[in-house]
mmCIF file of all heavy atoms in Angstrom:
data_model
loop_
_atom_site.group_PDB
_atom_site.id
_atom_site.type_symbol
_atom_site.label_atom_id
_atom_site.label_comp_id
_atom_site.label_asym_id
_atom_site.label_seq_id
_atom_site.Cartn_x
_atom_site.Cartn_y
_atom_site.Cartn_z
ATOM 1 N N TYR A 1 -5.949 -10.604 17.937
ATOM 2 C CA TYR A 1 -5.770 -10.761 16.497
ATOM 3 C C TYR A 1 -4.428 -11.415 16.202
ATOM 4 O O TYR A 1 -3.381 -10.920 16.634
ATOM 5 C CB TYR A 1 -5.857 -9.392 15.795
ATOM 6 C CG TYR A 1 -7.236 -8.795 15.827
ATOM 7 C CD1 TYR A 1 -7.631 -7.946 16.856
ATOM 8 C CD2 TYR A 1 -8.155 -9.103 14.833
ATOM 9 C CE1 TYR A 1 -8.911 -7.405 16.892
ATOM 10 C CE2 TYR A 1 -9.440 -8.566 14.858
ATOM 11 C CZ TYR A 1 -9.812 -7.723 15.889
ATOM 12 O OH TYR A 1 -11.083 -7.201 15.918
ATOM 13 N N GLU A 2 -4.485 -12.509 15.456
ATOM 14 C CA GLU A 2 -3.265 -13.203 15.047
ATOM 15 C C GLU A 2 -2.783 -12.637 13.714
ATOM 16 O O GLU A 2 -3.584 -12.439 12.796
ATOM 17 C CB GLU A 2 -3.526 -14.701 14.911
ATOM 18 C CG GLU A 2 -2.309 -15.496 14.480
ATOM 19 C CD GLU A 2 -2.600 -16.977 14.338
ATOM 20 O OE1 GLU A 2 -3.794 -17.360 14.404
ATOM 21 O OE2 GLU A 2 -1.638 -17.755 14.184
ATOM 22 N N ILE A 3 -1.488 -12.386 13.614
ATOM 23 C CA ILE A 3 -0.921 -11.864 12.372
ATOM 24 C C ILE A 3 -0.737 -13.009 11.395
ATOM 25 O O ILE A 3 0.023 -13.950 11.656
ATOM 26 C CB ILE A 3 0.429 -11.163 12.633
ATOM 27 C CG1 ILE A 3 0.301 -10.138 13.775
ATOM 28 C CG2 ILE A 3 0.929 -10.503 11.350
ATOM 29 C CD1 ILE A 3 -0.754 -9.086 13.575
ATOM 30 N N LEU A 4 -1.441 -12.952 10.265
ATOM 31 C CA LEU A 4 -1.330 -13.974 9.227
ATOM 32 C C LEU A 4 -0.226 -13.648 8.241
ATOM 33 O O LEU A 4 0.477 -14.530 7.744
ATOM 34 C CB LEU A 4 -2.662 -14.149 8.494
ATOM 35 C CG LEU A 4 -3.867 -14.525 9.367
ATOM 36 C CD1 LEU A 4 -5.124 -14.630 8.512
ATOM 37 C CD2 LEU A 4 -3.622 -15.827 10.115
ATOM 38 N N SER A 5 -0.069 -12.363 7.930
ATOM 39 C CA SER A 5 0.998 -11.905 7.035
ATOM 40 C C SER A 5 1.122 -10.398 7.187
ATOM 41 O O SER A 5 0.247 -9.738 7.765
ATOM 42 C CB SER A 5 0.702 -12.273 5.575
ATOM 43 O OG SER A 5 -0.483 -11.621 5.135
ATOM 44 N N SER A 6 2.203 -9.860 6.654
ATOM 45 C CA SER A 6 2.386 -8.409 6.749
ATOM 46 C C SER A 6 3.175 -7.890 5.562
ATOM 47 O O SER A 6 4.005 -8.604 4.985
ATOM 48 C CB SER A 6 3.118 -8.033 8.045
ATOM 49 O OG SER A 6 4.471 -8.461 7.992
ATOM 50 N N ILE A 7 2.879 -6.672 5.196
ATOM 51 C CA ILE A 7 3.714 -5.903 4.279
ATOM 52 C C ILE A 7 4.260 -4.751 5.122
ATOM 53 O O ILE A 7 3.525 -3.805 5.447
ATOM 54 C CB ILE A 7 2.917 -5.370 3.069
ATOM 55 C CG1 ILE A 7 2.331 -6.537 2.267
ATOM 56 C CG2 ILE A 7 3.797 -4.512 2.188
ATOM 57 C CD1 ILE A 7 1.472 -6.101 1.093
ATOM 58 N N PRO A 8 5.527 -4.841 5.557
ATOM 59 C CA PRO A 8 6.071 -3.842 6.488
ATOM 60 C C PRO A 8 5.891 -2.420 5.980
ATOM 61 O O PRO A 8 6.173 -2.109 4.835
ATOM 62 C CB PRO A 8 7.555 -4.226 6.570
ATOM 63 C CG PRO A 8 7.590 -5.692 6.266
ATOM 64 C CD PRO A 8 6.515 -5.887 5.236
ATOM 65 N N GLY A 9 5.373 -1.585 6.886
ATOM 66 C CA GLY A 9 5.160 -0.189 6.545
ATOM 67 C C GLY A 9 3.849 0.085 5.839
ATOM 68 O O GLY A 9 3.529 1.238 5.548
ATOM 69 N N GLU A 10 3.053 -0.966 5.570
ATOM 70 C CA GLU A 10 1.803 -0.778 4.831
ATOM 71 C C GLU A 10 0.590 -1.391 5.528
ATOM 72 O O GLU A 10 -0.323 -0.699 5.939
ATOM 73 C CB GLU A 10 1.920 -1.351 3.412
ATOM 74 C CG GLU A 10 2.789 -0.535 2.490
ATOM 75 C CD GLU A 10 2.708 -1.016 1.054
ATOM 76 O OE1 GLU A 10 1.717 -1.700 0.701
ATOM 77 O OE2 GLU A 10 3.634 -0.711 0.289
ATOM 78 N N ARG A 11 0.586 -2.734 5.684
ATOM 79 C CA ARG A 11 -0.642 -3.379 6.143
ATOM 80 C C ARG A 11 -0.363 -4.719 6.800
ATOM 81 O O ARG A 11 0.733 -5.285 6.657
ATOM 82 C CB ARG A 11 -1.618 -3.545 4.985
ATOM 83 C CG ARG A 11 -1.132 -4.471 3.898
ATOM 84 C CD ARG A 11 -2.034 -4.387 2.657
ATOM 85 N NE ARG A 11 -1.895 -3.092 2.004
ATOM 86 C CZ ARG A 11 -2.938 -2.376 1.593
ATOM 87 N NH1 ARG A 11 -4.169 -2.815 1.758
ATOM 88 N NH2 ARG A 11 -2.744 -1.220 0.997
ATOM 89 N N LEU A 12 -1.386 -5.217 7.477
ATOM 90 C CA LEU A 12 -1.350 -6.519 8.131
ATOM 91 C C LEU A 12 -2.595 -7.304 7.736
ATOM 92 O O LEU A 12 -3.674 -6.723 7.652
ATOM 93 C CB LEU A 12 -1.354 -6.370 9.663
ATOM 94 C CG LEU A 12 -0.193 -5.627 10.330
ATOM 95 C CD1 LEU A 12 -0.605 -5.230 11.750
ATOM 96 C CD2 LEU A 12 1.047 -6.511 10.370
ATOM 97 N N LYS A 13 -2.448 -8.589 7.511
ATOM 98 C CA LYS A 13 -3.601 -9.456 7.390
ATOM 99 C C LYS A 13 -3.751 -10.169 8.717
ATOM 100 O O LYS A 13 -2.794 -10.794 9.203
ATOM 101 C CB LYS A 13 -3.435 -10.466 6.254
ATOM 102 C CG LYS A 13 -4.704 -11.287 6.024
ATOM 103 C CD LYS A 13 -4.565 -12.221 4.832
ATOM 104 C CE LYS A 13 -5.864 -13.014 4.615
ATOM 105 N NZ LYS A 13 -5.760 -13.949 3.466
ATOM 106 N N VAL A 14 -4.928 -10.072 9.338
ATOM 107 C CA VAL A 14 -5.107 -10.595 10.690
ATOM 108 C C VAL A 14 -6.349 -11.479 10.765
ATOM 109 O O VAL A 14 -7.252 -11.389 9.921
ATOM 110 C CB VAL A 14 -5.236 -9.450 11.726
ATOM 111 C CG1 VAL A 14 -4.008 -8.553 11.687
ATOM 112 C CG2 VAL A 14 -6.517 -8.631 11.502
ATOM 113 N N ARG A 15 -6.368 -12.319 11.799
ATOM 114 C CA ARG A 15 -7.549 -13.140 12.076
ATOM 115 C C ARG A 15 -7.894 -13.013 13.541
ATOM 116 O O ARG A 15 -7.011 -13.129 14.406
ATOM 117 C CB ARG A 15 -7.276 -14.610 11.749
ATOM 118 C CG ARG A 15 -8.481 -15.530 11.969
ATOM 119 C CD ARG A 15 -8.180 -16.945 11.508
ATOM 120 N NE ARG A 15 -7.268 -17.609 12.417
ATOM 121 C CZ ARG A 15 -7.653 -18.345 13.464
ATOM 122 N NH1 ARG A 15 -8.946 -18.487 13.729
ATOM 123 N NH2 ARG A 15 -6.766 -18.923 14.233
ATOM 124 N N ASP A 16 -9.164 -12.736 13.831
ATOM 125 C CA ASP A 16 -9.626 -12.682 15.206
ATOM 126 C C ASP A 16 -9.636 -14.112 15.751
ATOM 127 O O ASP A 16 -10.397 -14.957 15.286
ATOM 128 C CB ASP A 16 -11.036 -12.077 15.266
ATOM 129 C CG ASP A 16 -11.503 -11.799 16.684
ATOM 130 O OD1 ASP A 16 -11.218 -12.629 17.571
ATOM 131 O OD2 ASP A 16 -12.173 -10.771 16.912
ATOM 132 N N VAL A 17 -8.764 -14.393 16.730
ATOM 133 C CA VAL A 17 -8.636 -15.756 17.246
ATOM 134 C C VAL A 17 -9.924 -16.223 17.912
ATOM 135 O O VAL A 17 -10.235 -17.415 17.919
ATOM 136 C CB VAL A 17 -7.452 -15.850 18.243
ATOM 137 C CG1 VAL A 17 -7.281 -17.272 18.773
ATOM 138 C CG2 VAL A 17 -6.152 -15.379 17.587
ATOM 139 N N LEU A 18 -10.718 -15.300 18.452
ATOM 140 C CA LEU A 18 -11.906 -15.668 19.211
ATOM 141 C C LEU A 18 -13.112 -15.975 18.324
ATOM 142 O O LEU A 18 -13.884 -16.888 18.620
ATOM 143 C CB LEU A 18 -12.260 -14.568 20.211
ATOM 144 C CG LEU A 18 -11.180 -14.270 21.269
ATOM 145 C CD1 LEU A 18 -11.641 -13.176 22.208
ATOM 146 C CD2 LEU A 18 -10.818 -15.528 22.048
ATOM 147 N N ILE A 19 -13.293 -15.230 17.238
ATOM 148 C CA ILE A 19 -14.480 -15.469 16.397
ATOM 149 C C ILE A 19 -14.124 -15.856 14.962
ATOM 150 O O ILE A 19 -15.017 -16.154 14.169
ATOM 151 C CB ILE A 19 -15.439 -14.257 16.397
ATOM 152 C CG1 ILE A 19 -14.734 -12.982 15.905
ATOM 153 C CG2 ILE A 19 -16.016 -14.038 17.771
ATOM 154 C CD1 ILE A 19 -15.661 -11.772 15.808
ATOM 155 N N GLY A 20 -12.840 -15.858 14.620
ATOM 156 C CA GLY A 20 -12.410 -16.387 13.331
ATOM 157 C C GLY A 20 -12.484 -15.466 12.140
ATOM 158 O O GLY A 20 -12.104 -15.862 11.034
ATOM 159 N N THR A 21 -12.981 -14.238 12.291
ATOM 160 C CA THR A 21 -13.082 -13.329 11.155
ATOM 161 C C THR A 21 -11.694 -12.811 10.760
ATOM 162 O O THR A 21 -10.822 -12.630 11.610
ATOM 163 C CB THR A 21 -13.992 -12.135 11.473
ATOM 164 O OG1 THR A 21 -13.504 -11.480 12.655
ATOM 165 C CG2 THR A 21 -15.415 -12.594 11.727
ATOM 166 N N GLU A 22 -11.513 -12.579 9.475
ATOM 167 C CA GLU A 22 -10.245 -12.070 8.974
ATOM 168 C C GLU A 22 -10.420 -10.651 8.438
ATOM 169 O O GLU A 22 -11.510 -10.263 8.011
ATOM 170 C CB GLU A 22 -9.696 -12.986 7.872
ATOM 171 C CG GLU A 22 -9.309 -14.368 8.381
ATOM 172 C CD GLU A 22 -8.632 -15.219 7.320
ATOM 173 O OE1 GLU A 22 -8.370 -14.704 6.207
ATOM 174 O OE2 GLU A 22 -8.348 -16.399 7.605
ATOM 175 N N ALA A 23 -9.335 -9.888 8.463
ATOM 176 C CA ALA A 23 -9.381 -8.512 7.980
ATOM 177 C C ALA A 23 -7.995 -8.099 7.517
ATOM 178 O O ALA A 23 -6.982 -8.665 7.944
ATOM 179 C CB ALA A 23 -9.865 -7.561 9.081
ATOM 180 N N GLU A 24 -7.979 -7.122 6.647
ATOM 181 C CA GLU A 24 -6.717 -6.506 6.228
ATOM 182 C C GLU A 24 -6.651 -5.127 6.876
ATOM 183 O O GLU A 24 -7.492 -4.269 6.603
ATOM 184 C CB GLU A 24 -6.636 -6.402 4.712
ATOM 185 C CG GLU A 24 -5.232 -6.076 4.218
ATOM 186 C CD GLU A 24 -5.086 -6.262 2.726
ATOM 187 O OE1 GLU A 24 -5.557 -5.367 1.997
ATOM 188 O OE2 GLU A 24 -4.529 -7.291 2.281
ATOM 189 N N ILE A 25 -5.671 -4.952 7.755
ATOM 190 C CA ILE A 25 -5.549 -3.722 8.549
ATOM 191 C C ILE A 25 -4.505 -2.818 7.933
ATOM 192 O O ILE A 25 -3.349 -3.218 7.743
ATOM 193 C CB ILE A 25 -5.155 -4.047 10.007
ATOM 194 C CG1 ILE A 25 -6.152 -5.030 10.646
ATOM 195 C CG2 ILE A 25 -5.030 -2.779 10.830
ATOM 196 C CD1 ILE A 25 -7.518 -4.450 10.888
ATOM 197 N N LEU A 26 -4.903 -1.601 7.618
ATOM 198 C CA LEU A 26 -3.938 -0.610 7.145
ATOM 199 C C LEU A 26 -3.191 -0.093 8.374
ATOM 200 O O LEU A 26 -3.789 0.521 9.255
ATOM 201 C CB LEU A 26 -4.678 0.527 6.435
ATOM 202 C CG LEU A 26 -3.920 1.229 5.304
ATOM 203 C CD1 LEU A 26 -3.581 0.229 4.214
ATOM 204 C CD2 LEU A 26 -4.758 2.355 4.728
ATOM 205 N N GLU A 27 -1.925 -0.383 8.459
ATOM 206 C CA GLU A 27 -1.149 -0.046 9.658
ATOM 207 C C GLU A 27 0.314 0.117 9.267
ATOM 208 O O GLU A 27 0.981 -0.831 8.868
ATOM 209 C CB GLU A 27 -1.301 -1.154 10.716
ATOM 210 C CG GLU A 27 -0.402 -1.019 11.908
ATOM 211 C CD GLU A 27 -0.481 0.330 12.572
ATOM 212 O OE1 GLU A 27 -1.594 0.766 12.922
ATOM 213 O OE2 GLU A 27 0.574 0.962 12.728
ATOM 214 N N ARG A 28 0.826 1.336 9.399
ATOM 215 C CA ARG A 28 2.175 1.635 8.916
ATOM 216 C C ARG A 28 3.256 1.350 9.960
ATOM 217 O O ARG A 28 4.357 0.936 9.625
ATOM 218 C CB ARG A 28 2.255 3.097 8.473
ATOM 219 C CG ARG A 28 1.345 3.412 7.297
ATOM 220 C CD ARG A 28 1.456 4.856 6.851
ATOM 221 N NE ARG A 28 2.781 5.203 6.390
ATOM 222 C CZ ARG A 28 3.249 4.936 5.174
ATOM 223 N NH1 ARG A 28 2.495 4.281 4.308
ATOM 224 N NH2 ARG A 28 4.462 5.301 4.827
ATOM 225 N N SER A 29 2.954 1.566 11.227
ATOM 226 C CA SER A 29 3.977 1.423 12.270
ATOM 227 C C SER A 29 4.119 -0.027 12.751
ATOM 228 O O SER A 29 5.184 -0.633 12.633
ATOM 229 C CB SER A 29 3.644 2.334 13.452
ATOM 230 O OG SER A 29 4.600 2.189 14.482
ATOM 231 N N ALA A 30 3.039 -0.598 13.282
ATOM 232 C CA ALA A 30 3.115 -1.945 13.845
ATOM 233 C C ALA A 30 3.472 -2.990 12.798
ATOM 234 O O ALA A 30 4.090 -4.013 13.116
ATOM 235 C CB ALA A 30 1.789 -2.310 14.502
ATOM 236 N N SER A 31 3.127 -2.742 11.520
ATOM 237 C CA SER A 31 3.427 -3.721 10.468
ATOM 238 C C SER A 31 4.925 -3.883 10.254
ATOM 239 O O SER A 31 5.363 -4.867 9.632
ATOM 240 C CB SER A 31 2.757 -3.298 9.147
ATOM 241 O OG SER A 31 3.261 -2.043 8.710
ATOM 242 N N ARG A 32 5.725 -2.952 10.768
ATOM 243 C CA ARG A 32 7.182 -3.054 10.626
ATOM 244 C C ARG A 32 7.791 -4.009 11.652
ATOM 245 O O ARG A 32 8.897 -4.509 11.451
ATOM 246 C CB ARG A 32 7.829 -1.679 10.764
ATOM 247 C CG ARG A 32 7.511 -0.714 9.619
ATOM 248 C CD ARG A 32 8.338 0.558 9.729
ATOM 249 N NE ARG A 32 8.164 1.417 8.566
ATOM 250 C CZ ARG A 32 7.299 2.420 8.509
ATOM 251 N NH1 ARG A 32 6.523 2.671 9.564
ATOM 252 N NH2 ARG A 32 7.188 3.149 7.429
ATOM 253 N N SER A 33 7.104 -4.231 12.758
ATOM 254 C CA SER A 33 7.685 -5.049 13.827
ATOM 255 C C SER A 33 6.941 -6.369 14.062
ATOM 256 O O SER A 33 7.549 -7.349 14.485
ATOM 257 C CB SER A 33 7.710 -4.261 15.139
ATOM 258 O OG SER A 33 6.404 -3.823 15.498
ATOM 259 N N LEU A 34 5.646 -6.403 13.788
ATOM 260 C CA LEU A 34 4.876 -7.624 14.020
ATOM 261 C C LEU A 34 5.200 -8.682 12.957
ATOM 262 O O LEU A 34 5.406 -8.340 11.794
ATOM 263 C CB LEU A 34 3.384 -7.331 14.021
ATOM 264 C CG LEU A 34 2.877 -6.501 15.200
ATOM 265 C CD1 LEU A 34 1.426 -6.101 14.985
ATOM 266 C CD2 LEU A 34 3.035 -7.251 16.514
ATOM 267 N N ARG A 35 5.246 -9.940 13.404
ATOM 268 C CA ARG A 35 5.584 -11.030 12.500
ATOM 269 C C ARG A 35 4.460 -12.058 12.450
ATOM 270 O O ARG A 35 3.616 -12.110 13.354
ATOM 271 C CB ARG A 35 6.872 -11.714 12.952
ATOM 272 C CG ARG A 35 8.087 -10.812 12.904
ATOM 273 C CD ARG A 35 9.321 -11.555 13.385
ATOM 274 N NE ARG A 35 9.315 -11.786 14.814
ATOM 275 C CZ ARG A 35 10.242 -12.495 15.449
ATOM 276 N NH1 ARG A 35 11.220 -13.058 14.772
ATOM 277 N NH2 ARG A 35 10.186 -12.654 16.750
ATOM 278 N N GLN A 36 4.479 -12.865 11.410
ATOM 279 C CA GLN A 36 3.494 -13.930 11.280
ATOM 280 C C GLN A 36 3.522 -14.801 12.535
ATOM 281 O O GLN A 36 4.573 -15.232 12.998
ATOM 282 C CB GLN A 36 3.799 -14.776 10.050
ATOM 283 C CG GLN A 36 2.789 -15.881 9.813
ATOM 284 C CD GLN A 36 3.127 -16.691 8.572
ATOM 285 O OE1 GLN A 36 4.034 -16.354 7.834
ATOM 286 N NE2 GLN A 36 2.396 -17.774 8.358
ATOM 287 N N GLY A 37 2.344 -15.045 13.100
ATOM 288 C CA GLY A 37 2.246 -15.841 14.326
ATOM 289 C C GLY A 37 2.089 -15.010 15.579
ATOM 290 O O GLY A 37 1.598 -15.508 16.591
ATOM 291 N N ASP A 38 2.523 -13.732 15.558
ATOM 292 C CA ASP A 38 2.304 -12.852 16.705
ATOM 293 C C ASP A 38 0.806 -12.635 16.909
ATOM 294 O O ASP A 38 0.012 -12.740 15.973
ATOM 295 C CB ASP A 38 2.976 -11.489 16.492
ATOM 296 C CG ASP A 38 4.487 -11.538 16.691
ATOM 297 O OD1 ASP A 38 4.962 -12.457 17.385
ATOM 298 O OD2 ASP A 38 5.188 -10.657 16.156
ATOM 299 N N ILE A 39 0.442 -12.311 18.138
ATOM 300 C CA ILE A 39 -0.952 -12.005 18.476
ATOM 301 C C ILE A 39 -0.975 -10.647 19.164
ATOM 302 O O ILE A 39 -0.108 -10.364 19.998
ATOM 303 C CB ILE A 39 -1.550 -13.079 19.402
ATOM 304 C CG1 ILE A 39 -1.550 -14.439 18.700
ATOM 305 C CG2 ILE A 39 -2.978 -12.728 19.830
ATOM 306 C CD1 ILE A 39 -1.918 -15.604 19.604
ATOM 307 N N VAL A 40 -1.949 -9.811 18.810
ATOM 308 C CA VAL A 40 -2.075 -8.501 19.453
ATOM 309 C C VAL A 40 -3.468 -8.368 20.058
ATOM 310 O O VAL A 40 -4.448 -8.910 19.539
ATOM 311 C CB VAL A 40 -1.818 -7.337 18.466
ATOM 312 C CG1 VAL A 40 -0.361 -7.285 18.058
ATOM 313 C CG2 VAL A 40 -2.723 -7.419 17.239
ATOM 314 N N TYR A 41 -3.515 -7.670 21.175
ATOM 315 C CA TYR A 41 -4.777 -7.325 21.833
ATOM 316 C C TYR A 41 -5.156 -5.951 21.306
ATOM 317 O O TYR A 41 -4.467 -4.955 21.578
ATOM 318 C CB TYR A 41 -4.564 -7.314 23.345
ATOM 319 C CG TYR A 41 -5.751 -6.845 24.176
ATOM 320 C CD1 TYR A 41 -6.922 -7.583 24.235
ATOM 321 C CD2 TYR A 41 -5.654 -5.671 24.931
ATOM 322 C CE1 TYR A 41 -7.990 -7.159 25.009
ATOM 323 C CE2 TYR A 41 -6.711 -5.240 25.714
ATOM 324 C CZ TYR A 41 -7.881 -5.991 25.745
ATOM 325 O OH TYR A 41 -8.936 -5.553 26.522
ATOM 326 N N ALA A 42 -6.201 -5.874 20.490
ATOM 327 C CA ALA A 42 -6.484 -4.641 19.758
ATOM 328 C C ALA A 42 -7.957 -4.539 19.406
ATOM 329 O O ALA A 42 -8.730 -5.490 19.554
ATOM 330 C CB ALA A 42 -5.629 -4.591 18.481
ATOM 331 N N GLN A 43 -8.341 -3.348 18.931
ATOM 332 C CA GLN A 43 -9.698 -3.111 18.430
ATOM 333 C C GLN A 43 -9.591 -2.667 16.980
ATOM 334 O O GLN A 43 -8.893 -1.697 16.663
ATOM 335 C CB GLN A 43 -10.405 -2.028 19.260
ATOM 336 C CG GLN A 43 -11.859 -1.813 18.858
ATOM 337 C CD GLN A 43 -12.529 -0.719 19.670
ATOM 338 O OE1 GLN A 43 -11.972 0.365 19.865
ATOM 339 N NE2 GLN A 43 -13.734 -0.994 20.154
ATOM 340 N N ALA A 44 -10.257 -3.398 16.087
ATOM 341 C CA ALA A 44 -10.254 -3.065 14.662
ATOM 342 C C ALA A 44 -11.483 -2.227 14.328
ATOM 343 O O ALA A 44 -12.601 -2.582 14.706
ATOM 344 C CB ALA A 44 -10.226 -4.334 13.827
ATOM 345 N N TRP A 45 -11.261 -1.122 13.620
ATOM 346 C CA TRP A 45 -12.362 -0.251 13.179
ATOM 347 C C TRP A 45 -12.530 -0.371 11.671
ATOM 348 O O TRP A 45 -11.552 -0.449 10.919
ATOM 349 C CB TRP A 45 -12.055 1.196 13.523
ATOM 350 C CG TRP A 45 -12.073 1.516 14.995
ATOM 351 C CD1 TRP A 45 -12.363 0.680 16.022
ATOM 352 C CD2 TRP A 45 -11.781 2.794 15.577
ATOM 353 N NE1 TRP A 45 -12.274 1.341 17.219
ATOM 354 C CE2 TRP A 45 -11.920 2.645 16.985
ATOM 355 C CE3 TRP A 45 -11.430 4.040 15.073
ATOM 356 C CZ2 TRP A 45 -11.705 3.687 17.878
ATOM 357 C CZ3 TRP A 45 -11.211 5.082 15.957
ATOM 358 C CH2 TRP A 45 -11.358 4.918 17.341
ATOM 359 N N ASN A 46 -13.779 -0.355 11.213
ATOM 360 C CA ASN A 46 -14.091 -0.389 9.788
ATOM 361 C C ASN A 46 -14.493 1.013 9.339
ATOM 362 O O ASN A 46 -15.514 1.548 9.768
ATOM 363 C CB ASN A 46 -15.231 -1.377 9.513
ATOM 364 C CG ASN A 46 -14.874 -2.781 9.972
ATOM 365 O OD1 ASN A 46 -13.753 -3.216 9.771
ATOM 366 N ND2 ASN A 46 -15.824 -3.484 10.574
#
């Protein structure tokens, strides 16, 4: 997942680099350190 934008301490907007889907991830910890352009290996749950 590529980080498109972030609100530190709240959420991340991400795009799955492999299939192109986008999502807004509620994430309080990682959103403080991840920056636009970073990529994470992760599993998103709905």
Side-chain angles (χ1 to χ4, degrees):
Y1 291 91
E2 180 181 9
I3 309 304
L4 302 179
S5 63
S6 69
I7 299 177
E10 288 189 21
R11 64 190 68 226
L12 298 163
K13 186 176 181 181
V14 302
R15 182 175 72 91
D16 189 321
V17 181
L18 299 180
I19 58 177
T21 56
E22 294 186 5
E24 194 168 78
I25 304 291
L26 211 60
E27 172 52 54
R28 297 181 62 81
S29 179
S31 62
R32 292 188 173 95
S33 57
L34 292 172
R35 296 179 288 175
Q36 182 180 353
D38 284 337
I39 299 171
V40 291
Y41 175 67
Q43 185 181 46
W45 291 358
N46 301 319

